[in-house]
Amino acid sequence: MRPKVSLNGSLLALLSAPLALAEISHGSTCRNIHGDAGWPRPYEWAELNQTVNGQLIQTVPMGSVCHHEPFGVYNQTACDELRQDWDFRHWKFKVWEMGQIHVTHPSEIMNPYYQNQSCDPFTSPDSPCELGNYASYSINVTGPEDVLAGIRFAKEKNIRLVIKNTGHDYHGRSSGGSSLALWMYNLKTAEVMHHYESPLYNGPAVKLGAGMGVGESYMAVHEYGYRIVGGECGTVGVAGGYSQGGGHSVLTSERGLGSDQVLEWEVVTPAGELLIATPTHNADLYWALSGGGGGTYGVVVSSTVKIFPDGPFAGGALVFNNTDTPGHEVFWKGVELWYKYFPSFTVNNNTVQFVLLNSTLDAQAINLPGQDIAAVHRLMAPYLAELDNLGIIYRFTTEYSESYYDHFNNYYGPLPHGAEPVTTILYARLVPRRVVQDPTANAKLVDTMRSLVQDGKFLIGCGVFDLRGKTHPDNAVLPAWRDAQAVCIANGFWDFEAPTANNVAVKEELVDFHAPAMDAATPGSGVYMNEVDPLYKGDWKEAMYGVNYDRLLAIKNKYDPDHMLFGHMSVGSDEFRFDERGRLCYGHSFGHSDSESRLVVQQFGPIKFEL
Ligand SMILES: Cc1cc2nc3c(=O)[nH]c(=O)nc-3n(C[C@H](O)[C@H](O)[C@H](O)COP(=O)(O)OP(=O)(O)OC[C@H]3O[C@@H](n4cnc5c(N)ncnc54)[C@H](O)[C@@H]3O)c2cc1C
Ligand SMILES: *[C@@H]1O[C@H](CO)[C@@H](O)[C@H](O)[C@H]1NC(C)=O
Ligand SMILES: *[C@@H]1O[C@H](CO)[C@@H](O)[C@H](O)[C@H]1NC(C)=O
Ligand SMILES: *[C@@H]1O[C@H](CO)[C@@H](O)[C@H](O)[C@H]1NC(C)=O
Ligand SMILES: *[C@@H]1O[C@H](CO)[C@@H](O)[C@H](O)[C@H]1NC(C)=O
Ligand SMILES: *[C@@H]1O[C@H](CO)[C@@H](O)[C@H](O)[C@H]1NC(C)=O
Ligand SMILES: *[C@@H]1O[C@H](CO)[C@@H](O)[C@H](O)[C@H]1NC(C)=O
Ligand SMILES: *[C@@H]1O[C@H](CO)[C@@H](O)[C@H](O)[C@H]1NC(C)=O
């Protein structure tokens, strides 16, 4: 579980001589895809495989067992099993580990929109298993050398490069057709430091390999008596998209966001430099990586983050049903009061997570760090009195834990993976405190939530927190987080057995109707960049990055001058296009000499790579 990161002098020695790279002969602005003359030959892949000590994996999608062609591994029994594991609607009947199938595979991703049925278990066995949006090859990364080898190869052969950790991304950014993937998931190291020292922070910290999951990190630091900020979902990767894109947590009110915890990033830049970025060293890169979005500025090999002595935790859960009948409507009054009470719930570093459906308000976890059961009762008493006044029947339970670790295990576990379902269609909006504090605005917000859930197609999940008064390093987190009282996420569900068009229609209802309504009810706020539907039609630059966008773009262009890293709605992504064959192209107009020259491969930076 805890091998040490072996980053020593040998790497620098390896990287000492300058590199002569082949010119890109065809002068194209587009990356080569399968079938192009420039697509690497088998012997070239074999050479890359040698360079990375046999860690190159050619993609065989899991769904290949469900299709006769072209892999020739059709197996009906295996396919039936896979179908169960693939569709989260079956998970309640089996163990949660099933939800791991896409996480542990080098090139599978979770989101069905980007899986795009190119090779899934639900289409006909007679349809071919195609790579579609899957990477063609992955490097099972063991350290910075493999990352550099991958970058060098992608640049030299002019092919698309992607970074995959767990594959949770909602925008398909951890995959890409005809790409080489850097698969970071097996960098599972955790080095606990009791006394980390730096100009801005002295205290305990942990250096996490880029592949460490949330649940794995909880376990790793728990062994030493610490707790760490991580997501509510145990399978998300900490150093990947989570802390690079914000990162909400049960501990957000107490300690801030995931991005706020980072002390150091160890990163290989697309220009081929291995850098340490901290608030005082390569500070621009540190700033951008801490909240400016995953997969954009460089390849993170490890991140060093703050940890905190663990201690007692109290928890609660509250649920009440909608039993309204015409002429007797109290449920939505109860919900409106619930939102109004947010500021009172989040005192003393508390957070709350709840799910709202037409039928139920289910506050699955009320989290009180450092407190006891009496405190949970005190906290909730005024609100429960309101429910009593309305005549609403509820179930309220409490539980005391000796540590955050035990609390998380009780409410979100079992660790390491937890029980969070894979949500597939979603839109996460930050709810400003001023909205819930203003009765008119709050009523409008709750009306919006009501119309969202009323036909049963969507549910709302909110995380309630308070970041006021929390110090944090200067970073690229969207400022709207600091004034927010909650992140509220509209969720729709994918039907794997239905045609894609039906599912896309659900997405369109969300982005055309409900997302604009949520925006209108939360004016001037923003979104959580990691949890936005890819079809979102609002001003994504403003909503995801706000005032930080231009500065982030300048930093991206500085560290990724050859435009190696692209992700849908990532900073700089509007400078890319796909051509009619699906090639990823840089520049607004194809063949424009200015953008061509930018793709000409240049010498790597100060640290050189040579084999
Ligand atoms: C079921 C589910 C539950 C979730 N729960 C939470 C939650 O509780 N809290 C929360 O804040 N968010 C949550 N999210 C959102 C989650 O934080 C994002 O999807 C996040 O981007 C996942 O990061 P990853 O590295 O695990 O995933 P990936 O899909 O592998 O990567 C996400 C992005 O980061 C990039 N990336 C990954 N590794 C690296 C690296 N080493 N260096 C540079 N770039 C990298 C990828 O290229 C991609 O752009 C959840 C998502 C899902 C699907
Ligand atoms: C890379 O080499 C290893 C070890 O020789 C081998 O098992 C693997 O199949 C190779 N990968 C590819 C893509 O050929
Ligand atoms: C088909 O898959 C099942 C279940 O995974 C396995 O037990 C069986 O050996 C496979 N059959 C063949 C011919 O590979
Ligand atoms: C899914 O595949 C179809 C072609 O089969 C393509 O037109 C579409 O753009 C793909 N969608 C995504 C999200 O990749
Ligand atoms: C990836 O590499 C790790 C060692 O870092 C190894 O344990 C694992 O089996 C490899 N996975 C695959 C699919 O090759
Ligand atoms: C809230 O958390 C901070 C640390 O961020 C701590 O200093 C403070 O004492 C906590 N407040 C309460 C009431 O526990
Ligand atoms: C809510 O309804 C569900 C099922 O309809 C029921 O099991 C549960 O006990 C109800 N909860 C309360 C608090 O009434
Ligand atoms: C929503 O709740 C109301 C009140 O209980 C009920 O009348 C209505 O049928 C529900 N709608 C759906 C789609 O379940």
Side-chain angles (χ1 to χ4, degrees), residues 317-571:
L318 171 69
V319 58
F320 58 91
N321 288 333
N322 181 353
T323 56
D324 287 358
T325 49
H328 181 72
E329 294 216 344
V330 291
F331 179 77
W332 289 101
K333 284 204 167 58
V335 175
E336 192 176 321
L337 286 165
W338 175 254
Y339 277 76
K340 180 187 151 187
Y341 270 77
F342 283 180
S344 75
F345 293 153
T346 53
V347 296
N348 298 336
N349 300 329
N350 304 332
T351 59
V352 177
Q353 241 197 328
F354 71 93
V355 167
L356 176 65
L357 296 86
N358 181 51
S359 58
T360 309
L361 189 150
D362 186 359
Q364 298 161 328
I366 302 166
N367 310 295
L368 290 78
Q371 295 159 69
D372 58 16
I373 285 188
V376 193
H377 285 280
R378 275 198 308 276
L379 182 76
M380 299 310 291
Y383 180 69
L384 297 180
E386 304 264 21
L387 291 184
D388 290 335
N389 284 342
L390 290 169
I392 291 177
I393 312 285
Y394 55 82
R395 194 177 70 238
F396 177 55
T397 54
T398 59
E399 199 161 322
Y400 176 79
S401 302
E402 289 298 337
S403 64
Y404 173 58
Y405 180 83
D406 291 342
H407 174 83
F408 189 89
N409 218 2
N410 290 339
Y411 284 89
Y412 299 88
L415 282 164
H417 301 135
E420 196 96 340
V422 174
T423 49
T424 48
I425 299 174
L426 88 180
Y427 180 64
R429 185 76 183 169
L430 297 167
V431 176
R433 182 169 304 96
R434 61 180 180 275
V435 167
V436 296
Q437 282 176 334
D438 169 350
T440 313
N442 189 51
K444 181 179 171 190
L445 176 69
V446 173
D447 266 352
T448 306
M449 301 297 174
R450 180 178 182 167
S451 57
L452 214 153
V453 300
Q454 73 186 357
D455 64 3
K457 234 185 270 176
F458 298 94
L459 61 79
I460 286 279
C462 299
V464 189
F465 57 83
D466 184 352
L467 284 167
R468 265 177 310 174
K470 294 293 168 220
T471 53
H472 59 87
D474 184 21
N475 61 28
V477 167
L478 182 72
W481 279 98
R482 311 290 173 195
D483 302 321
Q485 183 69 73
V487 55
C488 283
I489 310 170
N491 287 274
F493 294 91
W494 196 272
D495 181 349
F496 288 88
E497 274 142 298
T500 298
N502 296 21
N503 289 306
V504 169
V506 178
K507 289 168 88 70
E508 277 167 357
E509 183 181 336
L510 179 65
V511 298
D512 287 337
F513 186 67
H514 298 302
M518 286 167 76
D519 293 358
T522 53
S525 193
V527 302
Y528 177 25
M529 70 166 77
N530 277 340
E531 297 183 336
V532 170
D533 194 277
L535 301 185
Y536 179 57
K537 291 175 182 165
D539 179 351
W540 61 269
K541 288 185 185 177
E542 177 60 28
M544 291 177 163
Y545 306 94
V547 293
N548 294 333
Y549 191 86
D550 291 343
R551 188 171 162 200
L552 285 169
L553 182 60
I555 295 169
K556 161 128 179 120
N557 287 332
K558 173 178 168 187
Y559 288 96
D560 184 14
D562 300 318
H563 313 287
M564 301 293 290
L565 296 174
F566 161 80
H568 183 248
M569 292 185 184
S570 296
V571 166

Side-chain angles (χ1 to χ4, degrees), residues 590-604:
F590 299 130
H592 187 264
S593 60
D594 193 38
S595 38
E596 270 172 34
S597 65
R598 294 193 203 197
L599 256 192
V600 170
V601 176
Q602 285 151 15
Q603 292 259 308
F604 281 12

